[in-house]
Amino acid sequence: MALPACAARALGPPLQPEREAPARTTCPRRHSRVEAELAASRPGSVAASVRAGPPRGVSRGFNFQPLLDEPLKASSSLAGAARAPLFALLARGRRRRMHDLRRRWDLGSLCRALLTRGLAALGHSLKHVLGAIFSKIFGPLASVGNMDEKSNKLLLALVMLFLFAVIVLQYVCPGTECQLLRLQAFSSPMPDPYRSEDESSARFVPRYNFSRGDLLRKVDFDIKGDDLIVFLHIQKTGGTTFGRHLVRNIQLEQPCECRVGQKKCTCHRPGKRETWLFSRFSTGWSCGLHADWTELTSCVPAVVDSKRDARLRPSRNFHYITILRDPVSRYLSEWRHVQRGATWKASLHVCDGRPPTSEELPSCYTGDDWSGCPLKEFMDCPYNLANNRQVRMLSDLTLVGCYNLSVMPEKQRNKVLLESAKSNLKHMAFFGLTEFQRKTQYLFEKTFNMNFISPFTQYNTTRASSVEINEEIQKRIEGLNFLDMELYSYAKDLFLQRYQFMRQKEHQEARRKRQEQRKFLKGRFLQTHFQSHSQGQSQNPSQNPSQTPNLNANQNVTQNLIPNLIQNLTQSSGQNPSPKENRESQKQSPGQEQSDGNTSNGTHDYIGSVEKWR
């Protein structure tokens, strides 16, 4: 393409190659470095102006020489020294943009070069470090320093693969409870979740003899009917946590509706506008703050059916439940709670239709509360309701004249209260212990046939455990709560025996199901075998006369076994025959009656094992 006359005059005569320089025989883009230096040596060229100083925005201490090599090659590759006048003809703004673009490209090349060199140096250092480690560990066997190039690449590939796996693992499972991190194959077998939370022996020596009816607690709770669960909440026994489990953690057909910011939840029966739970978090303190056994038994029926006439009230089953705690820990926890300002003034203490008078139940403090009370002052008050609180709240106070201490002697009063508390506790539908959270969950699920969503958590660190007391103070606390100490020992023994009995019964049921399954599979196998054998004999009628008696014997055995197999299949399928059919089967097979008697008597093995432990 020809240039205009003005452009030709501005460019001047064409540049001729020098005599010493060799003639160009290659492509213009594949030039030599000599041409680039000649183009840079011409005065007024862009390369010469750039070489005069550092680029704009770059300090003089920066080594910008590598940044200029590529632009020089690019400038000389087009037309040699003739590019400088053409670049000068462009507008100033466009020249500046081209210059900035060129400089950015040069900085990007520099960053890529630095990154490549840095990774190479890191790999070299890592190789030396790993080589030193392997040389110390496997020194006599191999020398990492003399590894060939393939070994170095393999080692680097393994390290990079490990780092990549760590990064992917962090993205896949960022939490500490990731299932991928639980190496079940290399870990020990899962421990029994119902072992003693207090790290005591699972097998204990019973102190009390309980009947089978006392140990077997299975309530036929009909949530769709009229049955009601009543929770007796004793202070500082973990009842708040257990009460939240009842309204938020049970698998129900119609779960409780709990709104944010409200303590009470709506626990209605399926298809009814009626509650199945009487507790703090469902109905509130309808019978008073922390109502005891005496108040609840007289208050709950009237509160639940208050709008109905007494003659029209349904025959409900009231299932009372409660939670107990170690008396010393509970006492210290209540003291710490009183220190923070708790008073429980709203408690009614109604007994025999009236609350106690100020003479019958004096107060231990004169102000609004007892906050900041030291432990010695807390123990010195003779009217403190914290003393033997669990016995008082579980006993029938009407047997001792309520809070009137002048009705009977103190020794007789204490004996009546303790026996009443033990009797009420034993006949309750369920009670749990704070020190055994998982066992409490297990017994509640087996008693009411209701399962919790998430397991209970055992908290061994509480406010009471943080209180350091000496042996003298502990002995005094035990003396102030001697009735609670006796009740807790009784309750713990009964609780653990119930747990052992229910676990043994569960194991027996599992063993019986396995035996029925094996019997069922064996029956199917024998039935299939004899049917195929009889079919094969019927298809081969031409037989020797000597084999005819054997065939008849086999057919008789088959005819006798098939009814028995059908009967076994019917029993193993889980059907419940009528009483008439049971009597007929017992008449037909007396041996089977004996085996059934042994199975039914299997639940009495625990009572015999208790005698062996003693």
Side-chain angles (χ1 to χ4, degrees):
M1 183 179 67
L3 295 174
C6 60
R9 289 194 298 270
L11 292 174
L15 182 64
Q16 300 294 333
E18 297 182 1
R19 297 178 181 178
E20 293 80 8
R24 176 180 301 183
T25 58
T26 59
C27 180
R29 291 186 179 274
R30 301 182 62 180
H31 55 276
S32 62
R33 191 174 182 82
V34 178
E35 293 179 352
E37 293 178 356
L38 291 175
S41 63
R42 288 180 56 86
S45 63
V46 178
S49 62
V50 173
R51 286 184 179 275
R56 186 176 182 181
V58 181
S59 61
R60 292 185 178 273
F62 181 78
N63 185 12
F64 59 92
Q65 184 64 29
L67 301 178
L68 302 175
D69 293 340
E70 296 297 334
L72 290 176
K73 294 179 182 180
S75 62
S76 59
S77 64
L78 296 175
R83 188 185 182 283
L86 286 174
F87 188 76
L89 290 176
L90 298 175
R92 179 176 297 179
R94 189 172 182 182
R95 281 184 292 172
R96 183 176 300 172
R97 286 195 298 271
M98 292 181 63
H99 182 71
D100 294 340
L101 181 62
R102 187 189 309 164
R103 187 172 59 184
R104 292 173 187 172
W105 184 81
D106 295 337
L107 290 176
S109 300
L110 178 62
C111 292
R112 287 193 294 271
L114 291 176
L115 182 61
T116 304
R117 292 183 180 181
L119 291 177
L122 180 61
H124 188 69
S125 303
L126 186 62
K127 185 190 77 171
H128 281 286
V129 171
L130 293 178
I133 294 174
F134 276 91
S135 62
K136 290 182 179 180
I137 299 176
F138 307 102
L141 301 177
S143 177
V144 183
N146 298 328
M147 289 191 301
D148 53 356
E149 185 177 358
K150 292 184 179 180
S151 301
N152 294 339
K153 291 182 179 179
L154 180 60
L155 181 61
L156 184 60
L158 292 176
V159 172
M160 297 301 293
L161 182 62
F162 175 74
L163 295 177
F164 179 74
V166 171
I167 295 174
V168 171
L169 191 62
Q170 290 295 326
Y171 276 101
V172 171
C173 96
T176 57
E177 298 180 356
C178 180
Q179 298 294 334
L180 296 177
L181 296 179
R182 297 178 181 178
L183 304 178
Q184 299 291 345
F186 302 99
S187 61
S188 59
M190 291 297 293
D192 187 2
Y194 301 109
R195 288 187 65 86
S196 300
E197 289 89 347
D198 60 349
E199 299 181 359
S200 61
S201 176
R203 282 295 183 99
F204 70 102
V205 179
R207 294 178 52 191
Y208 300 90
N209 293 325
F210 296 102
S211 64
R212 183 178 181 273
D214 297 334
L215 300 179
L216 181 59
R217 306 300 295 174
K218 191 171 182 61
V219 177
D220 187 13
F221 177 70
D222 186 11
I223 193 173
K224 297 182 180 180
D226 297 323
D227 296 348
L228 190 69
I229 295 178
V230 183
F231 180 37
L232 196 159
H233 187 177
I234 304 176
Q235 289 95 319
K236 312 312 297 179
T237 58
T240 301
T241 303
F242 185 77
R244 289 196 181 100
H245 282 301
L246 293 177
V247 298
R248 299 177 183 268
N249 195 26
I250 292 186
Q251 297 178 0
L252 298 174
E253 180 181 350
Q254 182 177 344
C256 298
E257 298 179 2
C258 301
R259 298 181 180 179
V260 179
Q262 296 183 0
K263 293 183 178 180
K264 291 171 56 177
C265 301
T266 303
C267 299
H268 286 162
R269 305 179 191 272
K272 294 183 180 181
R273 303 285 297 177
E274 185 181 354
T275 184
W276 57 270
L277 177 64
F278 191 93
S279 69
R280 167 189 178 184
F281 293 106
S282 59
T283 57
W285 303 112
S286 301
C287 293
L289 181 61
H290 289 284
D292 53 21
W293 171 270
T294 307
E295 293 177 285
L296 289 177
T297 51
S298 60
C299 171
V300 171
V303 170
V304 174
D305 300 317
S306 59
K307 297 181 180 180
R308 300 181 184 181
D309 188 8
R311 295 173 298 177
L312 301 177
R313 292 176 182 176
S315 57
R316 300 180 183 273
N317 294 321
F318 296 97
H319 304 289
Y320 288 87
I321 61 176
T322 189
I323 300 292
L324 298 180
R325 188 180 181 183
D326 176 70
V328 177
S329 300
R330 198 213 65 81
Y331 189 84
L332 292 174
S333 180
E334 181 171 346
W335 164 64
R336 293 293 299 271
H337 198 56
V338 169
Q339 270 192 330
R340 297 190 298 270
T343 58
W344 296 297
K345 288 183 177 180
S347 298
L348 301 178
H349 303 295
V350 176
C351 179
D352 202 7
R354 66 176 183 87
T357 61
S358 58
E359 291 79 13
E360 293 176 345
L361 189 61
S363 177
C364 291
Y365 55 91
T366 56
D368 296 334
D369 53 26
W370 208 3
S371 59
C373 169
L375 181 59
K376 186 178 183 304
E377 183 180 349
F378 189 78
M379 293 187 297
D380 290 341
C381 179
Y383 313 107
N384 194 351
L385 293 179
N387 302 335
N388 297 314
R389 181 182 288 277
Q390 297 182 97
V391 170
R392 179 182 58 82
M393 294 190 67
L394 289 176
S395 60
D396 187 2
L397 296 180
T398 58
L399 300 176
V400 294
C402 298
Y403 293 92
N404 188 1
L405 303 180
S406 60
V407 174
M408 62 179 63
E410 182 180 0
K411 187 175 181 180
Q412 183 181 358
R413 175 187 174 88
N414 293 335
K415 182 179 180 181
V416 173
L417 289 177
L418 181 60
E419 293 300 326
S420 175
K422 287 182 178 180
S423 177
N424 293 335
L425 185 69
K426 183 175 65 175
H427 292 93
M428 272 187 173
F430 163 80
F431 73 91
L433 298 182
T434 309
E435 289 75 19
F436 301 93
Q437 290 290 322
R438 297 299 298 273
K439 290 182 175 63
T440 298
Q441 176 184 357
Y442 175 81
L443 288 179
F444 183 88
E445 292 176 347
K446 295 301 180 181
T447 301
F448 290 96
N449 196 19
M450 303 170 70
N451 297 324
F452 290 95
I453 300 174
S454 59
F456 289 8
T457 304
Q458 181 68 43
Y459 296 103
N460 294 324
T461 303
T462 59
R463 292 189 177 94
S465 62
S466 61
V467 179
E468 297 182 359
I469 58 175
N470 52 29
E471 186 177 358
E472 181 181 357
I473 296 179
Q474 183 174 357
K475 291 294 184 182
R476 186 178 179 188
I477 294 176
E478 293 176 357
L480 292 173
N481 296 271
F482 68 99
L483 295 179
D484 278 4
M485 294 294 295
E486 181 67 23
L487 176 66
Y488 184 78
S489 176
Y490 176 86
K492 184 177 179 180
D493 193 277
L494 177 58
F495 178 84
L496 294 179
Q497 285 199 48
R498 282 181 178 177
Y499 169 75
Q500 293 284 359
F501 180 80
M502 295 298 293
R503 292 284 283 179
Q504 186 173 356
K505 189 173 181 295
E506 184 180 12
H507 293 331
Q508 291 177 355
E509 290 290 333
R511 184 165 56 251
R512 184 182 60 81
K513 290 181 180 179
R514 289 195 299 267
Q515 292 176 355
E516 290 181 355
Q517 187 177 8
R518 286 195 296 267
K519 187 186 298 183
F520 173 75
L521 295 176
K522 185 177 179 180
R524 289 189 60 182
F525 173 76
L526 292 176
Q527 183 181 12
T528 306
H529 173 71
F530 282 111
Q531 286 179 355
S532 61
H533 183 71
S534 61
Q535 291 176 1
Q537 294 293 337
S538 62
Q539 292 177 0
N540 298 324
S542 60
Q543 294 178 353
N544 297 327
S546 61
Q547 296 179 355
T548 304
N550 295 332
L551 176 62
N552 296 329
N554 292 333
Q555 290 179 356
N556 293 331
V557 171
T558 305
Q559 292 176 359
N560 293 330
L561 284 177
I562 287 177
N564 295 331
L565 292 174
I566 294 175
Q567 184 178 2
N568 291 334
L569 292 175
T570 305
Q571 292 179 358
S572 61
S573 62
Q575 297 179 356
N576 296 326
S578 61
K580 183 178 180 180
E581 294 175 355
N582 289 333
R583 289 192 297 269
E584 292 178 357
S585 62
Q586 289 176 3
K587 291 179 181 179
Q588 293 176 1
S589 57
Q592 184 180 0
E593 178 181 0
Q594 183 178 1
S595 62
D596 293 340
N598 295 333
T599 304
S600 62
N601 293 331
T603 55
H604 295 279
D605 294 341
Y606 181 79
I607 307 300
S609 62
V610 169
E611 297 296 334
K612 293 180 181 179
W613 294 343
R614 294 177 59 87

